[in-house]
Amino acid sequence: MTNRKGGVGKSTMAVMLAHAAAAWSGRRVLVMDLDTQCNASLMLIGGERWEKACRSGHTISDYFYDRFDKVAEDESAYVVNNAGDVARARTAPGAVSLLPGSQRLEDIQGELLLKHSKKDLDADAVAVQVRGRMKRLMRHFGMDFDLVILDCPPGLSFAALAALDLANHVLVPFRPDFVSQFALDRVAMLIEGVETSEQLATIPLGKRRYSCLPNCWTGDGYERLLIDQLALDHPLLNTRIPLLASIARAFDWEETKKTIEEKYADALPHLRELHHEIMGAPEPRARTAHA
Ligand SMILES: Nc1ncnc2c1ncn2[C@@H]1O[C@H](COP(=O)(O)OP(=O)(O)O)[C@@H](O)[C@H]1O
Ligand SMILES: [Mg+2]
C-alpha cells in the first residue's frame, strides 16, 4: 500500500484487506508496518501491546538492526500473532499477524548507512546496499505467510523504497480530489522507475505494477469526471470505497473480538468487492450496488 500523500487510507485499506483475506480466504496474512506513525500497528494490536513490542525490542527497526549483519533465521520472534480485533472465522480460519512499526525506523536507516559507509564505498553505493539488504530481510517473511501486506509511509525511506521493489503488486489508495492526479502520477513514476510522465505513458496500463483504489468516494459528478480522466493514465480498480463512519470507527482497536461482519457493518459489500478484486476469491453473497 503506498501513496506519497498521507491520510488517503493506506493503513485503513491494509488492515481491511488483511482481515478480509484471513476471514474469507483463510490466508495467513502478515501486515508489515513501515510507517513511523505506526497507525497499522495501533489498529491491529492497540497501544499497550505496541508499546510492549517497542520496549522489548520487537519492532521492524529492531529486526533490521539486529539482523543486518547476520543471517536472519529467527524472524518469527519479531511477529505478533493473533493481531486484529476480528475473531477467526469457523469457515476459513486464516489469521492476521503483525510486524510492529517503530518510530525509530528512519533513525535506524541513518545508523545503518553510517555503519556501512566506513567500508570505502561512496554514498550512493552504500544506499543501494542498505536498501538491498532491507529488501532481502523483508523477503524472509514470505516463507511463513500466504500474503504479506506492506503498509508504506508517505516519505521515501529506504524501507519504503525496498518495499516497492519487493512487492508483487502495489495498491495505491487515493481520495478523488483535485490533487489526486498529481499524486498518482508521482507515485506511478516511482513504482515504474521512470522519470517523466511521457516515459510512464509508454508503459501499457495492463503491464503496470500497480493499481489505484478510489477511497472516500461519494460518487458525485465531479468525482465521476475525475475518475474517467484518471482511468486514461492509470490502472484503476473497479472497487470504490465510500466515506463511511463504520470505516472511520474500524480505525480504533478494540479488546473484544468480533466477526468481520460486525466490524465493517455497512462497509462490508465494498470490502467484499475489494477482496474479490485483489484475491480473486468467489463472493459468497450478492453485492449491493454502490453509489
Ligand atoms: N473510507 C473511509 N471512510 C471514512 N474514514 C476513512 C476512510 N478511509 C480512511 N478513513 C480515515 O481517514 C484517516 C486516514 O486514514 P489512514 O488509513 O491513516 O491513511 P494513510 O495511511 O494513507 O495516512 C483515518 O482517520 C481513517 O479512519
Ligand atoms: Mg498510514
Side-chain angles (χ1 to χ4, degrees):
M1 294 285 171
T2 199
N3 192 327
R4 303 273 318 266
K5 220 166 159 288
V8 294
K10 295 181 290 294
S11 304
T12 304
M13 297 303 127
V15 168
M16 281 172 74
L17 192 59
H19 280 313
W24 293 330
S25 298
R27 306 296 165 103
R28 294 163 307 163
V29 185
L30 175 70
V31 174
M32 214 184 271
D33 188 353
L34 303 173
D35 192 352
T36 50
Q37 296 200 4
C38 305
N39 286 338
S41 301
L42 294 170
M43 287 164 85
L44 282 170
I45 60 174
E48 224 171 278
R49 268 213 281 175
W50 173 70
E51 279 169 14
K52 197 172 143 209
C54 295
R55 279 198 306 273
S56 64
H58 289 89
T59 67
I60 187 155
S61 61
D62 300 298
Y63 172 67
F64 283 142
Y65 199 78
D66 297 349
R67 306 284 140 154
F68 205 80
D69 302 312
K70 299 175 222 140
V71 180
E73 293 156 308
D74 195 17
E75 64 273 357
S76 61
Y78 296 81
V79 169
V80 179
N81 292 315
N82 197 19
D85 50 5
V86 168
R88 280 200 189 198
R90 251 181 298 136
T91 42
V96 177
S97 300
L98 170 77
L99 178 58
S102 157
Q103 289 166 329
R104 296 199 58 225
L105 185 54
E106 281 167 32
D107 300 339
I108 288 290
Q109 112 178 8
E111 284 174 41
L112 292 174
L113 265 177
L114 272 176
K115 213 162 111 178
H116 286 263
S117 53
K118 287 182 199 132
K119 295 181 185 164
D120 296 340
L121 288 168
D122 66 52
D124 286 348
V126 175
V128 168
Q129 213 181 48
V130 172
R131 255 168 72 180
R133 181 79 182 121
M134 281 187 169
K135 183 175 153 186
R136 287 192 294 280
L137 285 173
M138 288 198 252
R139 188 179 276 142
H140 278 279
F141 291 93
M143 325 254 178
D144 297 330
F145 295 92
D146 304 313
L147 174 68
V148 180
I149 300 176
L150 307 160
D151 185 27
C152 287
L156 294 180
S157 65
F158 283 1
L161 293 171
L164 290 185
D165 255 11
L166 183 63
N168 298 111
H169 192 75
V170 183
L171 266 186
V172 185
F174 69 99
R175 290 185 183 230
D177 55 26
F178 69 100
V179 291
S180 50
Q181 172 91 49
F182 177 70
L184 293 190
D185 290 351
R186 214 159 62 127
V187 79
M189 288 192 271
L190 183 69
I191 295 164
E192 300 295 342
V194 296
E195 312 242 304
T196 65
S197 37
E198 288 74 26
Q199 287 170 326
L200 183 68
T202 64
I203 307 171
L205 295 188
K207 294 238 158 77
R208 307 270 176 102
R209 293 184 54 226
Y210 66 96
S211 38
C212 305
L213 169 62
N215 183 26
C216 298
W217 175 254
T218 64
D220 68 19
Y222 170 75
E223 287 185 357
R224 286 171 191 277
L225 219 80
L226 186 78
I227 289 283
D228 286 348
Q229 225 173 341
L230 290 173
L232 300 174
D233 297 326
H234 300 284
L236 298 187
L237 293 184
N238 292 320
T239 306
R240 314 256 181 275
I241 304 286
L243 182 73
L244 288 173
S246 51
I247 297 181
R249 267 198 310 276
F251 204 74
D252 298 323
W253 181 81
E254 283 174 21
E255 185 81 50
T256 330
K257 299 237 183 206
K258 51 193 90 54
T259 63
I260 190 165
E261 287 78 10
E262 283 163 348
K263 183 169 173 75
Y264 288 109
D266 54 345
L268 212 62
H270 310 282
L271 179 53
R272 279 194 199 285
E273 196 179 3
L274 176 66
H275 172 247
H276 177 63
E277 242 189 317
I278 301 296
M279 307 297 295
E283 280 190 83
R285 277 181 219 166
R287 263 182 282 155
T288 51
H290 56 70

